[in-house]
Amino acid sequence: MGKAMFYHLTRRPVEDTLAMLLAKAQQAGWRVSVRGTSVERLAWLDEKLWLGAEDSFLPHGLAGGAHDHAQPVLLTCGADLTNGATCLMTVDGAEVAPEEVASLERTCVLFDGNAEDALQTARAQWQAMKTAGMHAVYWSEESGNWQKKAETMG
C-alpha cells in the first residue's frame, strides 16, 4: 500500500521543492509522473527544472512526445502513468484518488500555503486519504525547515 505525502509550501517556490523531491525519487530509483492542471504551467516547470543547478541534472520531459514511455520523470496533465511511474507528484491542485495512492510507492501533493483555494483542495484530498484509510503524512516548512505536523496510519 502506498503513502501520500502532503507538502505545505510557505517559504520555497514549488519548482525548488519539486526539484528536491524529484532528486530524492531519482535516488530511490522511482519513475515519476508530475501531474498538473495546465499545460502552460507544466511547460514553465519544465523550463525551471532544466535551469536547475549543474550538479543536479534531472532528466525529464513534457507529455506529448514520442518518448513519453521512456522518461524517468514525465510532466503531464493526464491521469495515465505513461512512463510506468511508481511515484506521482501533484501540483496546482491536480486530482489524486486514494485508489491511485494505494497502487503506487509514493504520492507527493505539493500545495501553495499562501493560496486559499490550494489549501482547500489539499484539505479535501487529505480528508479523502484519511477516510479511505490511507497512510498520509503532512509536512510544513512554516518554521523554515520541513517538519512533520500530522500523520494518518492506513
Side-chain angles (χ1 to χ4, degrees):
M1 184 180 273
K3 181 191 290 189
M5 308 289 278
F6 286 75
Y7 292 91
H8 186 165
L9 308 175
T10 55
R11 294 178 175 257
R12 293 177 190 93
V14 67
E15 64 271 20
D16 290 353
T17 302
L18 182 61
M20 180 261 306
L21 292 172
L22 288 171
K24 289 180 182 252
Q26 189 176 33
Q27 289 171 353
W30 295 335
R31 297 178 73 74
V32 181
S33 183
V34 177
R35 184 181 297 156
T37 58
S38 136
V39 173
E40 294 79 17
R41 174 78 161 156
L42 289 176
W44 179 84
L45 278 172
D46 175 56
E47 183 178 329
K48 292 293 185 184
L49 292 173
W50 281 122
L51 296 174
E54 287 184 31
D55 63 343
S56 62
F57 174 70
L58 187 62
H60 68 280
L62 277 170
H67 304 287
D68 287 359
H69 67 283
Q71 294 291 347
V73 175
L74 184 65
L75 285 70
T76 182
C77 289
D80 56 335
L81 304 174
T82 308
N83 66 336
T86 56
C87 176
L88 172 65
M89 297 189 187
T90 66
V91 296
D92 301 334
E95 292 185 21
V96 60
E99 302 78 24
E100 191 172 26
V101 172
S103 70
L104 297 166
E105 291 285 332
R106 184 73 41 92
T107 301
C108 300
V109 178
L110 287 70
F111 62 99
D112 183 350
N114 300 309
E116 188 58 34
D117 59 332
L119 286 170
Q120 294 305 320
T121 298
R123 286 179 182 137
Q125 291 174 328
W126 174 270
Q127 188 59 45
M129 297 304 158
K130 187 174 175 181
T131 300
M134 298 301 307
H135 186 184
V137 180
Y138 167 71
W139 293 90
S140 172
E141 66 172 347
E142 197 170 41
S143 70
N145 295 313
W146 287 106
Q147 293 181 322
K148 187 188 322 183
K149 295 288 189 169
E151 185 169 10
T152 67
M153 301 306 282

